[in-house]
Amino acid sequence: TAKTPDLMLGMGFDVHLWVRPGEAREYAEHHPECVIHVLPHRIRNLRDTRRFMMEMIDERLWCMMDDDIWRFSFKPDATKMGGLRRATTSEVLRVFAHMNRSSCKSVLFAGSIPDRFRVARPYPRRYMSYGFMRQCIFISRRIAQHANFRLRIFMDIDFSLQVAKAGAAMQIARCLCIESRQSCDGGLGKERE
């Protein structure tokens, strides 16, 4: 049911999936174009998965995404309410390139492509230098020295606050958003209750 790999592969991205040992074969069958990383048995939840990934990835900038993103939407005019439409591949690539350029300007960098609700609201600019990072997070390697995923719920908000406290440069897109569909058997619904 993971939608993100197909979406990102379709736009030409390299996709790495971090999966539990018991799921590796099935993921490899359904997503043969992806690089599969098998998590150690001791990693049992999303928080620990994200922490483990931060320790293992060496790239200067990388993007951590939830698995249920099925498309991107674009907002040509960030200053207006609404106005979202399905994003083209070139629009998505432009935002990813912007995040990459922004990360080159600062040793500490983090950014995000937020959900539809946040982008639908009017903003004065296409990118904001502050905000919460959730389903699609861009992280520079050095940020792990100042921020990490500590909580089991609301971990993304907590991570965003740590990044802000560290004084890291942030870029939160207000011209592009992710579209996701919650599955009935995934997520943290029971823990949130």
Side-chain angles (χ1 to χ4, degrees):
T1 60
K3 301 293 181 198
T4 307
D6 296 330
L7 172 68
M8 301 311 289
L9 288 167
M11 289 187 284
F13 287 93
D14 292 329
V15 177
H16 293 247
L17 301 176
W18 297 75
V19 302
R20 292 182 181 99
E23 300 171 331
R25 186 166 28 98
E26 188 173 2
Y27 269 100
E29 288 173 13
H30 289 281
H31 304 288
E33 304 89 5
C34 298
V35 177
I36 306 293
H37 300 273
V38 180
L39 295 164
H41 286 284
R42 64 182 163 79
I43 306 296
R44 298 185 181 269
N45 56 49
L46 182 59
R47 176 198 62 200
D48 294 342
T49 299
R50 288 184 173 186
R51 291 175 71 137
F52 184 77
M53 289 169 62
M54 286 184 76
E55 294 169 11
M56 300 305 293
I57 296 177
D58 291 329
E59 282 82 10
R60 180 179 50 82
L61 179 72
W62 48 282
C63 183
M64 181 186 301
M65 302 174 75
D66 286 3
D67 65 355
D68 60 349
I69 299 169
W70 64 282
R71 78 174 192 190
F72 291 95
S73 289
F74 185 73
K75 185 176 180 180
D77 186 350
T79 64
K80 297 194 174 175
M81 184 70 169
L84 288 155
R85 59 166 172 73
R86 188 178 194 135
T88 65
T89 298
S90 64
E91 290 164 339
V92 173
L93 293 175
R94 273 199 312 262
V95 172
F96 273 72
H98 172 83
M99 295 295 184
N100 190 44
R101 285 190 306 274
S102 296
S103 75
C104 292
K105 297 175 186 175
S106 179
V107 174
L108 293 180
F109 174 80
S112 181
I113 298 173
D115 57 49
R116 183 180 186 90
F117 173 76
R118 279 154 191 69
V119 173
R121 297 176 51 210
Y123 291 93
R125 294 180 299 283
R126 294 170 65 87
Y127 297 92
M128 301 298 288
S129 58
Y130 59 89
F132 291 129
M133 299 174 285
R134 292 196 172 126
Q135 297 96 332
C136 181
I137 304 173
F138 295 84
I139 305 174
S140 66
R141 180 66 182 114
R142 291 205 176 163
I143 204 76
Q145 299 167 3
H146 303 275
N148 212 321
F149 296 95
R150 304 182 299 192
L151 307 177
R152 290 199 59 183
I153 59 172
F154 304 118
M155 76 182 87
D156 299 338
I157 295 171
D158 178 60
F159 179 78
S160 300
L161 292 171
Q162 292 175 66
V163 169
K165 184 177 180 182
M170 292 176 77
Q171 288 290 288
I172 310 296
R174 297 302 183 202
C175 56
L176 187 73
C177 67
I178 59 105
E179 304 271 356
S180 63
R181 293 184 179 142
Q182 291 288 347
S183 68
C184 55
D185 56 352
L188 294 169
K190 291 180 182 176
E191 290 178 335
R192 285 194 181 104
E193 287 175 16

